[in-house]
Amino acid sequence: MSNSSSSQLVAELTRWIATAAPGARLPSTRSLVAQYGVSPVTVQKALKTLQTRGLVESRTGVGTFVRQIRTSNTIDHSWQTEALGTAPPLPRASAALRTVPNDVVSLHSGYPDRTLLPERLVRGAYSRAARSDAVAGRTPAAGLPELQEWFAAELSEATNARTAPPSAGDVIITPGSQSGLGSIFRALVGAGNPLIVESPTYWGAILAATKAGVQLVPVSSGPNGPDPDELARAFDRTRARAFYAQPNFANPTGAQWSSSIGERVLDVVRDAGAFVIEDDWAHDFGISTESAPLFACDDSGHVVYVRSLTKSVAPSVRVAAIVARGPARERILADVQAESVYVSGVLQTVALDVVTQPAWQTHLRAVRRELESRRNLLASELRELAPDVTVDGLPSGGLNLWGRLPDDVDAETVARDCEATGVLVAAGDEWFPAEPTGQYLRLNYAGPNPAAFREAARVIGKVVSGG
């Protein structure tokens, strides 16, 4: 076997193992080299392959042995059914969280493609953080003071002259916005109490509210946001304490409120003596306009602001901020501390490092140009190849197109049939807190391989039309 490959040696040894007793020791590397006329590297590769397949096990300094066969026992876990009781009713995991093979055209994800992330900045930040005191230290419950100051300063730049800007002491750092929303809902709304939400709205907010035991009250929200008069009626009817909303680049619709809508919503919330929980999830993904936080127009404590860095910096950097004033801030902080105690100092240090680099703003400008190109390309291909999918105007920011299907077409069926053809899309049902008002698809234009948008649009068009 002087010319034998590693795979041929694997085949020979597999036949030997089949006749050997469990626990039998394989010949030494030197013996195998001599017996089969191969190099030591080839032997090591073959042994590693056998170990990966579970046929052998290596004992350092002793040798390699045929793996002992474990008796397969049937283990009864049925006792847990009675111990655990009825499972709590939670929404199913979102399609946006699915990971898929590289050969699938992915329009379903809730995250931007890796090529749209500042990977070089993140790698450098992790390297520097690993050499800092953050690796062994514990940060304050409210967060790293320097990161609190950064979030406050960013909001201060958007604050108008008539409004007092936030301070670092108003900021609470959380391990991602999903965790932050849960704390806000528990602290400001409470189990069994109503929370008004836009419909459709972010599926993660629906999940967090459901987990907190909050009762959702949907208010219809279109391309320009909710109707303030309908919102006022919802407050009058339910006596709710809060309204969860996404005034900028809403997920899934991409809607951005006008300043007049924002002012009217603030008036309604103030009249109701309530809070608006503002989720600025896509702050860094403005395309034709910038995000205009509602918080920047209110200093009376009616707006609780949530801002995440997870999507724009990196999924591995799960860092977000809640900005709130008054007793509301203290109640939220108490829940955050009870839930997570504090956020990893390493992650906070990495996040701060990235967003304070001069290259951060350069990166964001490049990302916005790329998002504009991808958004326009996908919309154009849909108009040509999937004319039955209606997209009402291009979003001025965010990551998604919100396409309406004909009323006689089922979105879940479309998603399933598209996947069978290698194209993943997200059916819109999971973004509705109650019954869907129509059949929709949420299509992410920030995913990998925009060159495949044309083929994806062709598949969607064929499935929707029944062709």
Side-chain angles (χ1 to χ4, degrees):
M1 286 186 66
S2 57
N3 296 319
S4 172
S5 67
S6 173
S7 60
Q8 290 173 310
L9 181 55
V10 167
E12 290 285 345
L13 292 176
T14 299
R15 284 191 286 271
W16 182 88
I17 290 168
T19 62
R25 181 174 178 176
L26 272 69
S28 67
T29 297
R30 181 178 299 179
S31 299
L32 292 173
V33 167
Q35 181 178 353
Y36 293 106
V38 295
S39 71
V41 172
T42 298
V43 172
Q44 292 303 318
K45 286 182 179 179
L47 293 178
K48 186 174 182 180
T49 299
L50 293 171
Q51 190 171 357
T52 301
R53 294 179 181 177
L55 298 178
V56 300
E57 55 187 0
S58 178
R59 302 173 194 168
T60 303
V62 180
T64 303
F65 300 82
V66 176
R67 183 177 290 277
Q68 298 281 352
I69 300 174
R70 295 182 179 179
T71 304
S72 178
N73 296 322
T74 301
I75 302 175
D76 184 10
H77 294 145
S78 61
W79 67 270
Q80 294 186 1
T81 301
E82 182 176 351
L84 293 172
T86 304
L90 292 175
R92 65 184 179 182
S94 172
L97 295 180
R98 290 182 59 187
T99 55
V100 296
N102 292 333
D103 59 347
V104 171
V105 183
S106 171
L107 300 180
H108 74 294
S109 178
Y111 289 81
D113 182 46
R114 183 172 175 174
T115 59
L116 298 175
L117 301 176
E119 187 168 331
R120 181 181 62 83
L121 297 181
V122 173
R123 288 182 181 276
Y126 268 112
S127 178
R128 287 184 287 274
R131 300 191 298 270
S132 74
D133 292 340
V135 296
R138 179 178 70 84
T139 60
L144 193 68
E146 295 86 352
L147 187 57
Q148 290 177 289
E149 291 172 3
W150 182 84
F151 278 112
E154 183 186 63
L155 260 183
S156 295
E157 291 179 4
T159 303
N160 61 48
R162 301 183 305 276
T163 305
S167 69
D170 297 325
V171 178
I172 303 168
I173 306 300
T174 68
S177 61
Q178 187 69 17
S179 172
L181 289 175
S183 287
I184 292 170
F185 295 156
R186 287 189 297 270
L188 303 188
V189 182
N193 294 317
L195 169 69
I196 301 173
V197 297
E198 295 177 283
S199 181
T201 193
Y202 170 45
W203 67 266
I206 298 174
L207 176 60
T210 303
K211 190 169 182 291
V214 169
Q215 302 300 311
L216 296 177
V217 179
V219 169
S220 178
S221 190
N224 300 312
D227 180 344
D229 292 333
E230 184 179 347
L231 178 62
R233 288 191 291 271
F235 271 116
D236 288 341
R237 184 176 71 254
T238 65
R239 303 300 177 187
R241 298 176 183 174
F243 169 43
Y244 169 79
Q246 303 169 90
N248 292 284
F249 321 133
N251 178 6
T253 64
Q256 184 177 33
W257 301 359
S258 65
S259 58
S260 60
I261 290 291
E263 290 170 1
R264 291 180 62 193
V265 167
L266 273 178
D267 287 341
V268 169
V269 170
R270 288 167 181 149
D271 289 344
F275 300 95
V276 55
I277 301 163
E278 178 183 14
D279 188 348
D280 197 10
W281 75 278
H283 184 91
D284 296 319
F285 300 131
I287 297 176
S288 55
T289 63
E290 298 284 341
S291 175
L294 204 62
F295 187 97
C297 303
D298 176 79
D299 54 15
S300 58
H302 285 282
V303 180
V304 175
Y305 179 80
V306 184
R307 157 89 156 100
S308 175
L309 294 175
T310 302
K311 286 185 171 63
S312 54
V313 172
S316 66
V317 185
R318 287 198 59 79
V319 171
I322 298 170
V323 188
R325 291 178 161 113
R329 190 259 187 193
E330 302 311 313
R331 293 197 183 192
I332 295 168
L333 176 58
D335 189 277
V336 168
Q337 191 169 13
E339 186 74 10
S340 57
V341 185
Y342 59 90
V343 180
S344 162
V346 171
L347 293 186
Q348 293 188 67
T349 300
V350 168
L352 180 64
D353 187 318
V354 171
V355 298
T356 54
Q357 291 288 330
W360 170 244
Q361 291 300 326
T362 303
H363 164 76
L364 289 182
R365 287 192 290 271
V367 166
R368 288 163 184 164
R369 289 193 295 270
E370 180 64 20
L371 289 177
E372 180 177 25
S373 174
R374 293 180 181 217
R375 177 200 65 183
N376 294 348
L377 175 60
L378 181 57
S380 174
E381 302 292 17
L382 289 171
R383 282 194 297 269
E384 178 184 350
L385 299 172
D388 292 329
V389 180
T390 304
V391 177
D392 290 331
L394 295 180
S396 55
L399 306 176
N400 311 298
L401 296 180
W402 185 238
R404 180 156 189 166
L405 304 176
D407 291 339
D408 60 349
V409 175
D410 179 66
E412 293 282 356
T413 301
V414 169
R416 185 172 59 251
D417 291 348
C418 284
E419 181 173 359
T421 318
V423 176
L424 256 67
V425 299
D429 291 10
E430 65 187 73
W431 281 270
F432 286 92
E435 292 81 6
T437 57
Q439 298 298 313
Y440 290 89
L441 298 179
R442 197 198 70 165
L443 306 171
N444 183 304
Y445 50 77
N449 194 15
F453 283 178
R454 185 169 183 82
E455 172 61 15
R458 184 193 66 77
V459 169
I460 294 169
K462 183 177 180 180
V463 169
V464 172
S465 66

